[in-house]
Amino acid sequence: RSLSSPRRGVGMVAMSLRSVLSRVAQLPLPVAARPMSSGSGLPYRIRVPLAKLQERKNLPKHEHRAPALGDGEQLETMGSAPDYVRLALTSRVYDMVQETPLQFAPGLSHRLGAQVHIKREDLLPAFSYKVRGAFNVLDSIRREGASRVIAYSIGGQGYAVAVAAAALGMKATVVLPERTPRQRRMQVERAGATVVIHGSGLEEAKQEAQRLARASEGESIFCHLHDDVRVIAGNATVGLEIVRQHSVALEAGVADKKKRKVPDGLKPEIMRGAVQALGSQTIDAIFVCTGGCSLIAGIAATVKQLMPNCKVIGVEPEEHNLLERSLLSGHRPKLSEPSHFVDGAAVQQLGSEVFRLCDALVDDVVTVSTDEICAAVRDCFEDTRAMLEPAGAISVAGPKRGVSS
């Protein structure tokens, strides 16, 4: 709808140009003059795209083909790049978790003038999407013959590892930095993992976890909890679920529209047109909290192959916009430790694989303030009655900032 005015303007320009050309064609040409060849005088950057556009316009209207990967962003940057759709479809994630609902948010939808749905990953065993990637990588390690794993975390990822390890009958050790809140430490311990407190931040905790893995002489495997193909593939199942569930949500909306009586004064064909328009809708955008970027990388890798026109937008706090800085600079900078307020969804440096995927597939990144995150906690509670921690509400704050900008 926002493009209706520019499109009308283009039509007016085309009509004016056509009338001028018709008058010029009626003028007698000098003897030495000859009609110029089509497209001459136009630079290559205009002439070639214009020719391609004209070819598409001249195609018969009944010709149609399903969207393909080439219609959107190209995922594969090298021949050996993983096929994340296949890896997600063949993952063992659903041996532990069930598909989470895509819940309609009436309050947010009304305020934003859009259909907003919230993916309820808080209903999973570890209260977060992180258990998907953790279970997938731990299951792969177990099948390779190992029974012990070592990871590091500020809390949420470590808890997911502990829950997944208990489900698989494995022993997990989680190294937490000293700044980890006591409640998170106890949560990881109650899940059955051995907790080691070391260092003042995530980098020192990571180094200690790697040292413990080396000292075990192969008995314990160090887990990369974000920059691992198996973690990304496990989290990519979220993208597959969204694509499938969104169609069901739209079908329900279409059925509801069809049941409604046509209001007085409204022509039936207008109502039928509204139903058809609703049925043809697709997902315009998916807002994803960034953090270590394994979730947004997995969602982008799957959604962009199945729905190339859907935008995948990252959301991160203004005070720790790691993905935005990385994509704008073209490399992987290392930031300081995140604040306690959002430390559950922040890392110091992106891994090489998640950076590759985000650099190729993510459409945009929006940053949100602390006040906007707090407002998102309230918005989510009003629509779902779920009380989220600040890190879990970052993505809910994304659509409000995205629409306003």
Side-chain angles (χ1 to χ4, degrees):
R1 287 192 290 269
S2 62
L3 295 178
S4 59
S5 296
R7 293 173 79 176
R8 284 198 297 269
V10 170
M12 291 171 63
V13 171
M15 289 290 290
S16 301
L17 180 59
R18 190 177 298 112
S19 61
V20 170
L21 290 176
S22 65
R23 294 191 183 98
V24 172
Q26 296 172 3
L27 295 177
L29 292 174
V31 175
R34 294 289 185 273
M36 291 172 34
S37 61
S38 167
S40 63
L42 295 177
Y44 178 88
R45 67 180 185 276
I46 298 177
R47 173 171 46 82
V48 174
L50 189 62
K52 293 182 179 179
L53 177 62
Q54 190 62 44
E55 288 178 2
R56 287 200 297 269
K57 289 180 64 177
N58 291 337
L59 287 175
K61 294 190 179 298
H62 65 271
E63 286 194 10
H64 174 74
R65 62 181 178 83
L69 179 60
D71 296 333
E73 286 79 355
Q74 182 70 23
L75 170 62
E76 309 293 353
T77 56
M78 53 185 176
S80 60
D83 181 356
Y84 282 102
V85 172
R86 181 183 62 81
L87 292 174
L89 289 172
T90 58
S91 69
R92 305 296 294 268
V93 170
Y94 296 105
D95 288 354
M96 178 180 182
V97 307
Q98 293 182 347
E99 188 175 278
T100 57
L102 191 63
Q103 184 172 344
F104 179 67
L108 276 173
S109 299
H110 176 72
R111 286 193 290 273
L112 298 180
Q115 293 190 39
V116 180
H117 295 77
I118 298 176
K119 193 78 168 85
R120 295 296 306 275
E121 293 295 285
D122 59 304
L123 300 178
L124 290 176
F127 312 112
S128 168
Y129 73 90
K130 298 172 182 177
V131 73
R132 295 175 183 262
F135 183 86
N136 200 41
V137 69
L138 262 62
D139 179 72
S140 174
I141 292 173
R142 181 177 65 88
R143 290 174 180 276
E144 293 171 357
S147 60
R148 296 176 179 271
V149 294
I150 296 178
Y152 72 100
S153 171
I154 198 70
Q157 196 77 49
Y159 180 52
V161 169
V163 171
L168 291 167
M170 302 176 68
K171 299 293 184 181
T173 299
V174 181
V175 181
L176 303 175
E178 297 171 356
R179 62 194 295 261
T180 304
R182 182 171 178 270
Q183 181 182 4
R184 293 184 184 175
R185 301 181 189 179
M186 295 175 60
Q187 190 180 40
V188 176
E189 289 176 341
R190 285 197 298 266
T194 301
V195 173
V196 175
I197 306 299
H198 181 86
S200 59
L202 281 172
E203 185 60 30
E204 294 180 4
K206 176 183 178 180
Q207 294 174 359
E208 177 64 11
Q210 292 173 330
R211 187 193 67 80
L212 291 175
R214 291 192 299 269
S216 69
E217 297 181 351
E219 291 186 5
S220 298
I221 305 300
F222 174 75
C223 292
H224 295 274
L225 297 181
H226 291 290
D227 199 51
D228 187 297
V229 171
R230 297 165 294 185
V231 175
I232 298 171
N235 294 337
T237 56
V238 178
L240 296 180
E241 290 181 15
I242 291 175
V243 172
R244 181 170 57 252
Q245 291 171 322
H246 187 265
S247 300
V248 175
L250 284 181
E251 288 174 3
V254 171
D256 180 65
K257 289 281 187 183
K258 288 181 177 179
K259 291 178 183 177
R260 295 184 185 181
K261 182 181 178 181
V262 178
D264 295 336
L266 183 63
K267 296 180 179 180
E269 57 268 23
I270 296 179
M271 190 66 178
R272 286 196 298 269
V275 172
Q276 292 173 358
L278 179 61
S280 63
Q281 284 182 0
T282 57
I283 305 175
D284 295 315
I286 301 176
F287 292 84
V288 189
C289 177
T290 57
C293 287
S294 60
L295 177 61
I296 189 172
I299 289 178
T302 52
V303 170
K304 283 297 185 179
Q305 293 199 50
L306 303 174
M307 303 180 65
N309 294 327
C310 175
K311 294 186 180 297
V312 178
I313 302 174
V315 188
E316 54 189 356
E318 291 177 341
E319 61 186 44
H320 198 83
N321 56 335
L322 176 60
L323 178 59
E324 185 181 47
R325 293 189 187 186
S326 300
L327 296 181
L328 290 176
S329 63
H331 62 91
R332 301 181 293 120
K334 189 174 183 179
L335 303 186
S336 58
E337 289 280 332
S339 67
H340 280 292
F341 188 68
V342 293
D343 58 5
V347 296
Q348 289 184 270
Q349 187 179 33
L350 297 181
S352 58
E353 177 64 6
V354 295
F355 175 76
R356 181 186 74 84
L357 291 169
C358 292
D359 191 38
L361 300 175
V362 170
D363 294 282
D364 197 5
V365 179
V366 297
T367 57
V368 292
S369 65
T370 299
D371 291 341
E372 289 172 319
I373 296 174
C374 293
V377 174
R378 180 197 61 207
D379 293 335
C380 193
F381 178 76
E382 291 177 353
D383 279 340
T384 66
R385 285 299 182 263
M387 181 59 69
L388 303 181
E389 64 172 325
I394 292 176
S395 58
V396 181
K400 298 172 70 174
R401 172 59 68 91
V403 170
S404 64
S405 59

